[in-house]
Structures are given as structure tokens and as C-alpha cells.
Amino acid sequence: MKTILLALFTLMVSGVVWGQETDFLIEINPFGENKYPKDFKVKYNSTIKIKINNINPFMGRGSVDVVTSNYDYNDIKKTLNALKGNIEDQIAETVGSNSEAIITNSSPKNYIDKDFPRYYNDFIFAYSKFANLLSQKEKQDNYVNSILFIKDIKTFKDQVAQFKIKEGDIEYNYKELEDRYSYLRNTNAKTKEYYAKEWKDAQSKKEKVYSDEFIKNIYDVKQYLEQQSNFAQETEFSYLDDARQIRDDKVAITPKIYDKTGEKVLHTFPDFTITPTHKLRVNFSAGYLLSFIGNEEYGIRYENDKAIGITKLEEEKFSHALGVLTHAFYDFGTPLDYGISAGISLNTDAKINFYGGLSIAFTQENRLVLTSGISFVNVKRLNISNLDNDLNFTSSNIEINYIERYKPAFFVGLTYNLKK
């Protein structure tokens, strides 16, 4: 029993996997030729997937997996604080070692250091590097949201990665800032008083870059840039639709790009229609039907001004009619559809005729149908009840009598398909 259940389960799983197999992959290429099934036709019951290439994943909706790493900005703060302490110790040692030289300097202690503006400008330049680090987020956002479709994906990925804050950049900038600040701090009191505005500004900026809020902001930007770069490296720059089974007569498809919220349409591609092949399709057509059979016509035959019999005048060779045919076509995936047909018509005497045969559908969308086969047409034939074998009258009834009968005949028809 267990063996039977296991076998059934295996068949079910196999069936599911088989059923999910994609027969056709339709690719939409914004920078190249789109790839469609030949003549936009696929086998009935087959599956297709729609893939849109070169999508900017930062702007368009897509399916992605993002791997992120978590950092504790307090670790960065501890590193910076340690760095700050080391720099201050080094500066103190430098000042102590040079104190004797300063004391022996022949210049008075209360002179104004005219190099202070240069020290200040160097400090501002070092400080501006922090602003540049923070601006990387805005620069990266502007870049990744500048264009919806990416032609050179490798270059795009490399450029996104260029915005990342490199390891050691933050520590280096803090060290440089401390170094530039030391020149300002080591000037005498009179110089600081003379350049009080610049000195206070430098003190304020230095205090700002060591604040918890500023350090956390630097950390957040660093992490954000790394996440965006990882996202660009790992995600697919395309959108792959779920597989869908083609079982309808026509499937109209309109590829679209939505924003990442899935609410706003950013771009709509030209739509296209997929028509399934290798399936039976029933439809109807109406038009002209010609049967190679017609009515018989006779006239009275006279002798010495006396009606003695009848004679055959002519025989119509064709019957014309407007009719309706029902078709069962099988689409072999060729430009023409082939099938069997049956239908009825009304002839010029408002009599019903019957038709059956083979049909070929052609022209655009196979709307025109050529049919040939056997028809059963209601035609008039001579009633010989008052005639002998020589068509002479055998009674006083000298009228020409006809009877209506259904006769088989070859027919051809040209009709127009009423259903696409």
C-alpha cells in the first residue's frame, strides 16, 4: 500500500513540474529586437513567460532578494573617540617637545599669527569632506533614478558602487580634521581673539562632527550606500512574469512597467496578441454557394397544332444560393486552417439546401473560407405520370408536371468567417 501511495505522489509531483515547464519565453528588449513566438503563435495548452529586460530596478517594479549587513554605529564612534584621544596626545607631546623652542622665540607671545586664515581655510576644506560623504546618498539617488531602462548594465553597476564610502575614509577624514584643527588651537590668545569669528566657527564645526547625531548620520549614509550597491550587484535588471497557459483563442498582452509601489505606470510597451495553434476551433461563415446541378425545363410538343407530348428544352447546370456554414477547423500552425464544414442555404425558390465538405481558411486572420464537397439541392424534375416512355401524353392531361427532389451534387463555396 505504501508503495502505491509513493508512486502516486511521485506522479503528482512530476505532473506539477511538467505542467510548470515554460514552452515559450517572450522577451521585451528596450534596446534591441523583441523576441516573440513565430507569427505570435504557440501550441494550445502550452505555457509562456514574459520577460522585460534592461529595467532599472531602482525605479521599476521587480522581484529581488537583497542581502544586507548590520553595523553598530557605536563601534564607529568608539573608534573615532579613540582616534581623537590619540591625536590629542600626539599634539600634546608635540607641543611639549617644542615648548622650549617657543619660549626662546624672539617674537613676543602676544603677536597676531597672520597664518590663521590659512589654517582656518585648511580646516574648512577638511570639514567639507564630511559634507561630501553625506552628499553621496543624494548623488547616488539622483543617478539610480535618472533613467528607467539601462543599456549598459555593467557600467551602471560599477557606477553605483563608486558612491560607496570606502573603508578607512571616515577615520582618515577625522584624523585630517584634527590635524587641521590643531594649527588653529595652537595659536596664541590674541590671534584667536583677533579672528574670533573664524575660531568660534571652527570650534562649533568640530563639536558637531563628534556629536552622536552626526556620527549616526555618517553611519546611516554609509550603510545605505552599501545596501544600494549590493542591491545593484545582486538583483536582476529584468522582470519575469509568471508562466501562463494558453488555452483561449486569443491572448492580448500589454507589457507595462510600474513604479516600485505598483500603483503608477511608468511605461507601456506596444501590445501584441498570441494565438494558440494545434487546437480544434469551431466558427461560422456566410457567403456564396454554388452547386453543379440545376432544374430541368420542358416544353409542350405539338403536331398539327395538337399537343401530343413534351420535349426537353434545357437543363440548368448550376444552382446559386446564399448560405451559412459551420466549420470545425484544426490549426496546424500553418498559414492556412483546414477543417470540415456543414451548412444550409436557401435557393432562388426559397427551398432549403444542405451542404457538407472540406474547407480551407486563408487571408489575414483566416477570415475567408473556401469550401468544397457534396450538396443536397432541392431541384425540379419531370413528373411522368401522364407521359409514356417517349414523353407523349397518355391522357387528356396535357400539362407539364414537376416534382421536387433532393439531388446530390458537387459544390464550391466562398464564405466569410463571422468569428475571428
Side-chain angles (χ1 to χ4, degrees), residues 4-22:
I4 295 175
L5 292 176
L6 180 60
L8 290 175
F9 177 76
T10 303
L11 288 174
M12 291 174 62
V13 172
S14 301
V16 171
V17 172
W18 180 83
Q20 293 176 344
E21 181 182 354
T22 302

Side-chain angles (χ1 to χ4, degrees), residues 57 62-68 227 229-236:
S63 177
V64 296
D65 292 324
V66 181
V67 179
T68 60
Q227 288 176 342
S229 178
N230 291 339
F231 177 81
Q233 299 302 320
E234 297 166 3
T235 190
E236 293 291 336

Side-chain angles (χ1 to χ4, degrees), residues 235-284:
T235 190
E236 293 291 336
F237 282 68
S238 61
Y239 173 74
L240 184 61
D241 189 29
D242 293 334
R244 60 187 72 247
Q245 200 168 28
I246 304 300
R247 307 191 68 173
D248 301 299
D249 288 339
K250 291 183 182 296
V251 179
I253 299 174
T254 305
K256 295 181 179 179
I257 303 296
Y258 286 85
D259 63 4
K260 297 194 73 172
T261 65
E263 296 177 356
K264 181 181 179 181
V265 177
L266 301 180
H267 184 83
T268 301
F269 292 94
D271 57 0
F272 56 92
T273 300
I274 297 296
T275 303
T277 63
H278 297 79
K279 66 167 293 187
L280 187 65
R281 185 165 51 245
V282 177
N283 51 32
F284 306 89

